[in-house]
Amino acid sequence: MARFFNVSGRCRPDDHYMLPPGPRLPMVKDLVDRKAYFVLHAPRQVGKSTTLYTVARELTREGRYAAILVSMEVGAGRASDPDAAELALLSDWRADIRDQLPVELQPPPWPRAPSGQRIGAALEAWSRACPRPLVVFLDEIDSLKDEMLISVLRQLRSGFGRRPEGFPWSLALCGMRDVRDYKVKSGGSERLTTASPFNIKDDSLTLQNFTLAEVGTLYQQHTADTGQVFLPEAVSRAFELTSGQPWLVNALARQITQVAVRDRQTSIVATDV
């Protein structure tokens, strides 16, 4: 199947045009090597999940780590029942793990643990059983609210001292906000009612919009695959209209190439944009 410009969900290199993650987040692998716990925060649809997913696959493929991206979003629908939220999260993680890691790197059965300790117990059991250092990226962390968010952050902080044998070697929280900006109530001004629930972070990273050169590089992939050229004036106009916001850059190109200018022999000019 031919690749295309993606506007829904994570990008996959076999299916979609995408920029390599390394230049966008050059510090991640260094932080992992240093056993760091860190935060990646940026607005929606700038490529956070795609970037961390790709980095996790690269780390695992290189053979030193077992690296995984799992989502915390399933727990958001059960904020009033932390017990059910933890069970839902661990069940959802299991599916992601089966999809991303070979059998020998997958965790043992999740251990029995009291409510409010299941996430930490699962990460500890997996870290002790895994033949490689475990690297975990927790996506959509700020979809959790209230006591559930506090509970997860405290479990991570509690296990931090047991790493790397008894807790993940490196771990990242991925969301729209830095930890210092997490609020107990969505849209409210109240801060988390706890002292530094994640004071173990080494660094906070963010993703910027694409540069003009990066927009050109992305659009050039379409040219390489199909022969259809985005003229420099079209690339400049696309950058001007989108400010390099990744979803807009992809959505605009998708509309042009799939609707407005379907003839691959026709070059794309500024007026098409």
Side-chain angles (χ1 to χ4, degrees), residues 4-254:
F4 56 93
F5 292 101
N6 182 38
V7 295
S8 59
R10 275 198 310 254
C11 291
R12 296 176 180 269
D14 292 340
D15 297 329
H16 308 127
Y17 305 126
M18 60 179 288
L19 297 177
R24 297 200 73 200
L25 276 179
M27 292 180 60
V28 168
K29 289 189 176 181
D30 288 341
L31 288 168
V32 169
D33 285 342
R34 300 202 320 251
K35 304 191 187 78
Y37 280 35
F38 60 97
V39 174
L40 172 63
H41 63 98
R44 290 196 183 279
Q45 297 177 317
V46 298
K48 300 185 299 298
S49 299
T50 291
T51 300
L52 286 182
Y53 177 81
T54 306
V55 169
R57 288 179 66 88
E58 289 178 355
L59 289 170
T60 300
R61 187 169 57 245
E62 290 166 1
R64 182 178 173 189
Y65 300 109
I68 182 81
L69 174 72
V70 294
S71 176
M72 306 299 288
E73 191 169 13
V74 167
R78 298 169 172 83
S80 61
D81 187 350
D83 185 54
E86 285 187 327
L87 293 173
L89 282 170
L90 291 176
S91 177
D92 191 58
W93 286 11
R94 183 70 70 175
D96 284 337
I97 292 163
R98 282 196 299 265
D99 179 59
Q100 295 181 47
L101 292 177
V103 172
E104 64 272 15
L105 300 180
Q106 294 180 17
W110 300 131
R112 290 179 174 272
S115 176
Q117 298 180 27
R118 290 194 181 98
I119 301 300
L123 291 174
E124 178 176 358
W126 189 7
S127 299
R128 295 193 184 281
C130 190
R132 299 184 193 174
L134 181 62
V135 178
V136 178
F137 300 144
L138 300 179
D139 200 13
E140 302 286 353
I141 182 67
D142 51 1
S143 66
L144 301 180
K145 305 295 178 187
D146 304 326
E147 291 303 319
M148 186 61 201
L149 175 58
I150 295 172
S151 173
V152 169
L153 295 177
R154 282 175 169 162
Q155 289 178 67
L156 299 178
R157 185 176 65 178
S158 177
F160 179 77
R162 297 192 291 274
R163 69 191 174 99
E165 292 82 7
F167 220 62
W169 170 282
S170 179
L171 183 143
L173 303 181
C174 180
M176 290 192 296
R177 304 176 184 90
D178 199 352
V179 171
R180 67 177 179 270
D181 297 322
Y182 289 170
K183 298 177 178 64
V184 174
K185 302 185 190 303
S186 176
S189 61
E190 186 179 358
R191 299 282 173 168
L192 287 171
T193 55
T194 182
S196 303
F198 199 69
N199 61 356
I200 52 177
K201 74 168 185 175
D202 187 278
D203 208 344
S204 291
L205 312 178
T206 191
L207 277 176
Q208 305 293 338
N209 286 347
F210 294 157
T211 64
L212 173 61
E214 287 173 329
V215 174
T217 298
L218 184 71
Y219 287 1
Q220 175 60 32
Q221 293 178 19
H222 173 77
T223 300
D225 282 11
T226 69
Q228 185 176 41
V229 175
F230 278 85
L231 292 180
E233 65 184 63
V235 176
S236 295
R237 183 62 173 149
F239 179 75
E240 177 186 359
L241 290 171
T242 64
S243 298
Q245 203 282 335
W247 186 87
L248 290 174
V249 168
N250 277 276
L252 186 57
R254 179 180 182 274

